[in-house]
Amino acid sequence: MSAPDIAAALRSLPSVDELLRRETMVAAVSAHGRRSAVAALRAALEDARAAAHMGSPPSPEAIAADAATRLERENAPNARRVFNLTGTVIHTNLGRAILAEAAIEAATRAMRHEMALEFDLATGKRGERDALLRELLCELTGAEDATLVNNNAGAVLIVLNSFAKGKEAIISRGELIEIGGAFRMPEIMARAGAKLREVGTTNRTHLRDYVEALSPCAGLVMKVHTSNYRVQGFTAQVEGAELARLAHAESVVFVNDLGSGTLVDLSRYGLAHEPTVAEAIVEGADLVTFSGDKLLGGAQAGFIVGKRDLIARINKNPLKRALRVDKIRLAAIEATLRLYRDPDRLAERLPTLRLLARKHDDIRRMAETLASSAGAALGEAFTVAVVDCVSQIGSGALPLETLPSAGLALRPWKPKSGRALDALTARLRRAPIPILGRIEDGALILDLRCLEAPEEFLTALAQTPSDEK
Ligand SMILES: *Cc1c(COP(=O)(O)O)cnc(C)c1O
């Protein structure tokens, strides 16, 4: 194109003001505000000028549409809902537990209204926020007293800091765990000011190892639930009850970090038994720590339950203030805990348990119902088959336990085409509600255990752009 033609093409481009009067932009301004609409138009005009230089100036409507698309993209929330079809039910990277309706209502109420958070309505005096949960937690665990902090990592930190600062924390070498996301027991101990006193070996630790380590320097004995792995074969570990007796004879605090921790006997719902908090208390633990958003199925929190005098010392630790839980989560957790008072209906009401307890036949039936529509939505290049698979609980609970499940296996027609499979995985991530599965044996497996909205899933699948834009 000649220089005068380019100049003419550039002159033909509309101004920001003209573009703002177009219907597309009037709608965009009302949705997103004038300021970001103008910024988006400027960016779109810049691209339009570049195109004009190349000899193909876009139409005013194309420029407005480009700006509107930019605005949509910028204003889409970063916190995106996804379909978790990975087969891992409590998935830390996908936000762990989804909450019960009762918890959602309670949290919404707490967000919308003022509430008696640290205010005792009986006396009209200042109250404390933990009081909202104390009785419930004691009832459900059999403990004397209870407190809570931001998460279980925080619970372990504050316990160590309260009882082993400048002293030794005695722990088996087989339990020096790392939980994903850089939570490593030795490092937490160092930050808490406790001196790590490892005893035993990776696979075998005996009571005498603890006996030898106990000295006046000891602040506490800690047992950590090896929640995300199992040491199998030639192994030995000391039961909580024995450790409790030993620690008490030496007047040392005995702490049991249960990790996931559950409040009910899961075997009741057809799952393997996982130690309950109440059992750990009966065994003699002075303090038990556990998470709010793992098996318990509530919001993120770290619970500490146990002896009254010890909980009082934790509550006086200045770290408590730094680790405290906000009103929204407190409300959600209270509502979640209340559901545990009626174990008969728990599996209906608590999503985590409902998903974990779902039967293979039920999931398989769903897969059979969805397979052909899913195939139609994906198009010719892929096959969709109903398959049996296994789910896992996730977040460290019962790491070796698998749950028989079923799902859809998506395979590219071209056999062994790793690239096509990667492209398909990426494509499903671009769905309006991203769909996440797992790759196994040359297929993308969508485990349907956690799918409770099949219609939405099909809609999302059908609306997935097939190539990158
Ligand atoms: C998960 C886990 C933690 C950390 O709990 P968060 O709630 O994730 O902070 C600590 N200890 C054990 C044994 C765990 O399994």
Side-chain angles (χ1 to χ4, degrees):
M1 232 166 112
S2 69
D5 288 348
I6 291 174
L10 283 171
R11 266 198 310 278
S12 77
L13 291 176
S15 69
V16 168
D17 282 336
E18 281 169 57
L19 287 166
L20 277 172
R21 284 195 290 274
R22 302 192 78 88
E23 216 172 298
T24 315
M25 287 316 292
V26 171
V29 167
S30 103
H32 307 293
R34 191 182 159 87
R35 185 183 162 139
S36 42
V38 169
L41 277 175
R42 292 218 167 98
L45 274 169
E46 193 144 319
D47 282 2
R49 271 192 289 276
H53 272 286
M54 306 301 289
S56 51
S59 70
E61 192 44 45
I63 300 172
D66 178 20
T69 309
R70 285 169 196 258
L71 278 169
E72 289 297 335
R73 205 179 306 143
E74 284 165 21
N75 287 295
N78 290 332
R80 296 276 299 277
R81 171 188 170 184
V82 299
F83 284 111
N84 172 17
L85 307 186
T86 60
T88 300
V89 177
I90 310 169
H91 199 305
T92 297
N93 304 141
L94 303 180
R96 291 194 182 163
I98 50 173
L99 297 197
E101 278 311 312
I104 295 166
E105 279 166 30
T108 308
R109 206 159 46 236
M111 285 190 274
R112 190 165 282 140
H113 305 285
E114 291 90 346
M115 65 183 281
L117 180 64
E118 294 182 350
F119 184 81
D120 184 340
L121 289 169
T123 62
K125 300 215 169 74
R126 188 177 196 282
E128 41 163 350
R129 61 180 68 204
D130 287 0
L132 302 182
L133 298 183
R134 181 173 289 126
E135 252 179 71
L136 263 172
L137 279 168
C138 293
E139 177 191 323
L140 296 168
T141 63
E144 284 174 16
D145 203 354
T147 188
L148 80 163
V149 291
N150 179 58
N151 57 12
N152 193 30
V156 171
L157 176 72
I158 197 169
V159 165
L160 286 165
N161 183 260
S162 301
F163 304 103
K165 182 160 177 267
K167 293 187 180 168
E168 289 179 353
I170 301 173
I171 182 170
S172 161
R173 287 198 167 89
E175 297 173 0
L176 286 171
I177 57 164
E178 172 180 314
I179 310 282
F183 176 86
R184 292 174 138 194
M185 207 41 100
E187 284 159 25
I188 292 287
M189 289 203 175
R191 290 291 162 148
K195 190 163 176 295
L196 170 61
R197 180 73 194 264
E198 306 172 32
V199 300
T201 61
T202 306
N203 57 329
R204 289 171 72 83
T205 303
H206 306 283
L207 190 63
R208 63 171 185 274
D209 296 321
Y210 290 94
V211 173
E212 278 163 24
L214 273 165
S215 76
C217 306
L220 56 76
V221 173
M222 186 158 200
K223 185 170 181 61
V224 180
H225 187 47
T226 56
S227 50
N228 50 7
Y229 66 99
R230 284 280 181 276
V231 179
Q232 284 184 327
F234 187 52
T235 63
Q237 52 170 332
V238 183
E239 292 305 319
E242 274 184 280
L243 281 181
R245 269 195 298 279
L246 176 66
H248 295 155
E250 302 285 329
S251 304
V252 170
V253 176
F254 172 50
V255 181
N256 193 341
D257 174 23
L258 279 186
S260 199
T262 172
L263 297 174
V264 282
D265 179 2
L266 292 176
S267 61
R268 199 192 150 120
Y269 306 97
L271 299 163
H273 183 80
E274 169 85 1
T276 69
V277 181
E279 284 164 5
I281 291 289
V282 167
E283 263 184 8
D286 298 308
L287 294 169
V288 181
T289 56
F290 56 105
S291 286
D293 56 353
K294 291 185 179 172
L295 272 177
L296 196 139
Q300 181 186 298
F303 298 101
I304 310 166
V305 303
K307 298 268 163 64
R308 190 168 292 123
D309 56 326
L310 303 180
I311 297 286
R313 277 175 63 187
I314 292 169
N315 284 333
K316 287 204 197 87
N317 187 329
L319 276 177
K320 177 75 196 304
R321 174 65 179 77
L323 296 172
R324 84 178 179 193
V325 178
D326 71 285
K327 64 172 182 170
I328 305 167
R329 281 192 282 153
L330 273 173
I333 291 164
E334 184 197 345
T336 307
L337 291 175
R338 284 193 188 285
L339 298 178
Y340 279 89
R341 301 190 74 211
D342 182 3
D344 296 337
R345 278 183 291 179
L346 192 62
E348 279 163 49
R349 294 169 161 181
L350 193 70
T352 303
L353 192 55
R354 182 167 72 227
L355 297 175
L356 289 174
R358 248 179 113 182
K359 295 273 176 289
H360 166 265
D361 287 354
D362 169 36
I363 306 169
R364 172 112 195 167
R365 251 195 312 279
M366 180 184 264
E368 279 159 3
T369 315
L370 295 181
S372 67
S373 317
L378 277 178
E380 304 274 272
F382 300 93
T383 63
V384 175
V386 174
V387 287
D388 289 327
C389 56
V390 289
S391 322
Q392 53 183 31
I393 297 178
S395 275
L398 303 165
L400 303 186
E401 200 64 36
T402 52
L403 310 168
S405 187
L408 302 174
L410 279 39
R411 282 193 182 79
W413 264 117
K414 248 190 261 156
K416 293 216 171 37
S417 168
R419 185 113 39 87
L421 195 58
D422 288 344
L424 175 65
T425 313
R427 174 176 159 193
L428 295 200
R429 285 200 307 270
R430 291 193 301 272
I433 302 171
I435 299 164
L436 310 178
R438 66 169 188 272
I439 290 187
E440 216 171 81
D441 299 334
L444 176 59
I445 306 287
L446 305 180
D447 181 331
L448 300 188
R449 171 173 296 279
C450 295
L451 183 63
E452 294 197 291
E455 295 302 326
E456 278 182 310
F457 161 75
L458 283 180
T459 308
L461 199 60
Q463 291 176 353
T464 304
S466 58
D467 44 38
E468 206 148 0
K469 238 195 102 179

